[in-house]
Amino acid sequence: MNQSLRLGVNIDHVATVRNARGGVHPDPVRAALAAMQAGADGITAHLREDRRHIRDADMDRLKAEVPLPLNFEMAATDEMVAIALRVKPHAVCLVPERREEVTTEGGLDVAGRQSVLKPIVARLADAGIRVSMFIAADARQLEASAAIGAAVIELHTGAYCEHHGSERAAELQRITAAARLSGKLGLECHAGHGLSYDNVGAIAAIPDVRELNIGHFLIGEAIFVGLEGAIRAMRRRMDEARSSS
Ligand code: PXP
């Protein structure tokens, strides 16, 4: 029997559209509530250093007004740790962040930054927050994540989504092997970045993957079919792939 697969909906780009005009519409909290109605299991939001989409007040409102687990994506900085300790989300996902990037471009180098990351993981975990590492599907990064006390890893699916043919197949193999290793290391395995209707099936079918975090595609598709329709259609694809795996 397959374990269930959760869907976390990333609402960053609702805030991107809102910020384009500087007002309050569309409201990311309203989007999170609509996502809940459509069957999302959690809400993900990334508070970037430059506040280009989600803002501090959005995080406070998401925590206060949305009764779903909140997954707070952030860079491993003192500023963000202080905000997370104030907001107290269900989970924090530590991501690498560079100001000039359009989106999160690669995985976090946990293996190379263990001494910096370990005390951050401990502070967040002591506050009752589940800590996840957004990493490439690389055994060294998984082992380092387990060694510094992370509860969860999120595998970066960006390269799998961008590539086609044999390169995509090789990336899928790496993700599948990493997901299998996560269980042996006692880490819960999530995955995300770049997922769409067309590419979600193979990732959803990996039995060790317990949660997918999906944003950009769903918010874009919502323009055509509405947010609830987009989420329900994604959910259907995930469930179909899961049950036939
Ligand atoms: N997971 C993480 C850690 C991310 O940084 C992002 C992008 O913010 C996503 C998932 C979702 O990626 P996408 O918006 O491409 O679906």
Side-chain angles (χ1 to χ4, degrees), residues 10 12 73 93 95 103-104 134 154 192-195 213-216:
N10 180 317
D12 290 351
E73 285 182 11
C93 182
V95 302
T103 181
T104 313
F134 187 47
E154 180 164 329
H193 210 285
L195 295 172
N213 283 302
I214 309 181
H216 185 266

Side-chain angles (χ1 to χ4, degrees), residues 5 172 175-176 179-180 201-210 242 245:
L5 179 61
L172 182 60
I175 292 169
T176 305
R180 202 172 302 128
I203 301 294
I206 301 171
D208 309 86
V209 174
R210 302 296 312 281
R242 194 74 165 187
S245 68

